[in-house]
Amino acid sequence: MDWQSFLTTEFYINLGISIGIVVLFLIFRGIFAKYVFQLLLRISRKTHSEFISHFFLSFEKPVKWLFIIIGVYVAAKYFPLFAQDNALFLRMIRSSMIVLMTWGLYNFASASSVVFVKLRDKYRLELDDILIPFLSKTLRIVIVVISASVILEEFGYHISGLVAGLGIGGAAIAFAAKDAIGHLFGGFVIITEKPFTIGDWVKTPSVEGTVEDITFRSTKVRTFADAIVTLPNGTIANEPITNWSRMGKRQISFNLSISHETPKKKVQTIVQRIHESLKNNSEVHPDTIFVTFDEIKDNSYDIFLYFFTNTTVWGEFLKIKEEINFTIIDILEQEGVIIALESTRVYVDSELPYTQKSQSKEQKGELSLGKDS
């Protein structure tokens, strides 16, 4: 082939036109990004519509690439030694358009939780914080699957035949992926039955902490040691789950041991005063308050306290419990009563009663007789 025949003036002119068209569309791309897009974004923000703003932001990068694809397509008409109507080239251009559309919709679907929240608040739909991200992720998967199938059809791959081919080994694939499928169904169980939601404090045999995220396959829980534990949904759905965040109130229960030297009247006064202090405390749930003289032990009189706080928040609960303990100490100090300590009394031989001394001596005598024999 004589390459010199191609290197004509017309060749260089067409090549220059092709490059110029691409450069021109790159300039259009820069103008759009700097002026047109910013203007559209400002207008959308003035409408106070988050939907429109998210739509523009989601399609910002795909539209920038659209200028390049259009520039390449137009430039191909003038590019030397290349036919614009080439079948493979046209398929690639159409597939690129589909990819850009998918990219924009995918971005928009990732922010679509905002849309779901708006719809929920406007129409009072029963969508909680678990279901909204789940629907958003499902929508993104649907967008990708549909786009992939359209692109495959564009290149001549028939989806029906592909699905039929996959059906031959479907049983083997299902058996190999049974654990993954089990975790997926576990995610559906968690979302439908709603034993907990994002932000709840939960406890299972495997973990205790605050739920941070729920996906198709797993649930992420942040423990009180500030570590993230990722549990498969199939595992957590089959375990007993305690949701501490759904408590209406939080229990406090303990025994207060006071000294045996405390007179009966003092014990009655302490019981009454502690009960009154709890009854008048706005942070204590008024329905269930028990303060009773419960038991006489070897070293103490025991007063039993059983009540609930209105709050279930761990930090607030500890603060209220601390204040109640300080109040109890004040009452004991004002009444001159001391808290009993567990102790063991040791007797020396001179302090033993007469009968115990006699028994001790007899035991010693038996021991000595045993030695003589």
Side-chain angles (χ1 to χ4, degrees):
M1 182 180 290
D2 186 7
W3 290 100
Q4 291 183 355
S5 62
F6 292 101
L7 301 179
T8 61
T9 304
E10 184 180 356
F11 175 88
Y12 288 111
I13 291 173
N14 289 337
L15 181 62
I17 291 172
S18 299
I19 295 173
I21 289 172
V22 173
V23 172
L24 183 63
F25 273 90
L26 287 173
I27 294 171
F28 288 159
R29 178 177 181 265
I31 293 171
F32 170 80
K34 190 173 182 180
Y35 299 104
V36 179
F37 179 79
Q38 294 299 326
L39 177 63
L40 292 172
L41 199 58
R42 282 198 297 270
I43 293 171
S44 67
R45 285 172 178 168
K46 287 181 180 179
T47 61
H48 303 289
S49 175
E50 293 186 21
F51 180 90
I52 298 174
S53 297
H54 280 301
F55 182 82
F56 283 133
L57 289 171
S58 300
F59 280 88
E60 178 184 6
K61 290 183 178 180
V63 170
K64 288 179 181 179
W65 278 96
L66 180 63
F67 280 97
I68 297 175
I69 293 172
I70 295 174
V72 170
Y73 176 74
V74 175
K77 183 178 180 180
Y78 301 94
F79 195 81
L81 310 177
F82 186 80
Q84 190 188 38
D85 58 351
N86 180 278
L88 179 60
F89 176 70
L90 293 177
R91 285 174 181 171
M92 291 181 67
I93 292 293
R94 287 194 293 265
S95 298
S96 300
M97 295 291 188
I98 296 169
V99 169
L100 292 182
M101 181 63 69
T102 303
W103 187 5
L105 291 175
Y106 187 88
N107 291 339
F108 184 67
S110 65
S112 63
S113 55
V114 177
V115 180
F116 287 128
V117 169
K118 291 290 183 183
L119 291 174
R120 180 189 65 182
D121 296 340
K122 185 175 181 179
Y123 299 104
R124 297 180 180 179
L125 301 175
E126 293 185 0
L127 299 175
D128 60 9
D129 292 335
I130 296 178
L131 194 56
I132 289 175
F134 190 84
L135 289 174
S136 179
K137 291 172 184 176
T138 303
L139 182 58
R140 294 171 76 179
I141 290 174
V142 170
I143 290 169
V144 171
V145 170
I146 292 174
S147 300
S149 64
V150 172
I151 291 172
L152 287 173
E153 289 282 353
E154 183 65 38
F155 283 91
Y157 295 98
H158 299 291
I159 301 301
S160 57
L162 252 164
V163 172
L166 290 174
I168 298 171
I173 294 172
F175 181 78
K178 61 179 182 179
D179 290 338
I181 294 171
H183 299 322
L184 181 62
F185 278 103
F188 279 112
V189 170
I190 291 171
I191 289 170
T192 53
E193 292 188 0
K194 300 177 184 177
F196 54 80
T197 187
I198 295 172
D200 281 359
W201 168 21
V202 298
K203 180 181 180 181
T204 73
S206 302
V207 69
E208 180 177 8
T210 304
V211 179
E212 286 212 345
D213 190 23
I214 300 169
T215 64
F216 286 102
R217 183 189 174 277
S218 61
T219 297
K220 292 182 180 179
V221 178
R222 184 174 294 278
T223 66
F224 296 121
D226 205 32
I228 288 288
V229 177
T230 303
L231 285 175
N233 287 332
T235 301
I236 197 169
N238 291 321
E239 291 183 339
I241 302 169
T242 303
N243 192 331
W244 294 113
S245 296
R246 295 189 181 177
M247 292 185 298
K249 50 190 178 180
R250 189 173 180 85
Q251 174 189 315
I252 298 178
S253 175
F254 63 93
N255 285 316
L256 176 66
S257 300
I258 60 176
S259 172
H260 270 167
E261 282 74 21
T262 308
K264 172 187 172 183
K265 193 169 183 179
K266 286 279 187 184
V267 175
Q268 291 175 332
T269 302
I270 291 169
V271 169
Q272 291 173 0
R273 289 192 62 182
I274 293 175
H275 188 276
E276 285 297 321
S277 69
L278 295 175
K279 187 177 178 181
N280 295 327
N281 192 327
S282 61
E283 301 294 341
V284 175
H285 199 281
D287 290 348
T288 308
I289 300 175
F290 293 108
V291 182
T292 60
F293 179 24
D294 182 56
E295 191 176 0
I296 301 175
K297 292 186 177 178
D298 293 339
N299 300 315
S300 65
Y301 296 147
D302 275 14
I303 299 172
F304 176 65
L305 289 85
Y306 183 89
F307 55 96
F308 294 85
T309 61
N310 291 321
T311 183
T312 59
V313 179
W314 179 246
E316 296 176 3
F317 166 79
L318 292 177
K319 186 65 178 177
I320 294 167
K321 189 176 179 181
E322 179 186 59
E323 292 174 355
I324 291 171
N325 288 338
F326 282 138
T327 301
I328 292 173
I329 290 174
D330 289 340
I331 292 172
L332 294 177
E333 289 179 350
Q334 291 168 10
E335 297 296 333
V337 174
I338 59 174
I339 296 174
L341 301 175
E342 291 188 6
S343 60
T344 302
R345 182 170 292 180
V346 180
Y347 293 94
V348 297
D349 188 65
S350 60
E351 294 176 341
L352 289 172
Y354 174 76
T355 55
Q356 293 183 10
K357 287 182 181 180
S358 301
Q359 291 175 359
S360 177
K361 289 179 179 179
E362 289 174 2
Q363 290 173 357
K364 288 179 181 179
E366 289 175 359
L367 291 172
S368 62
L369 287 173
K371 286 181 180 180
D372 292 339
S373 62

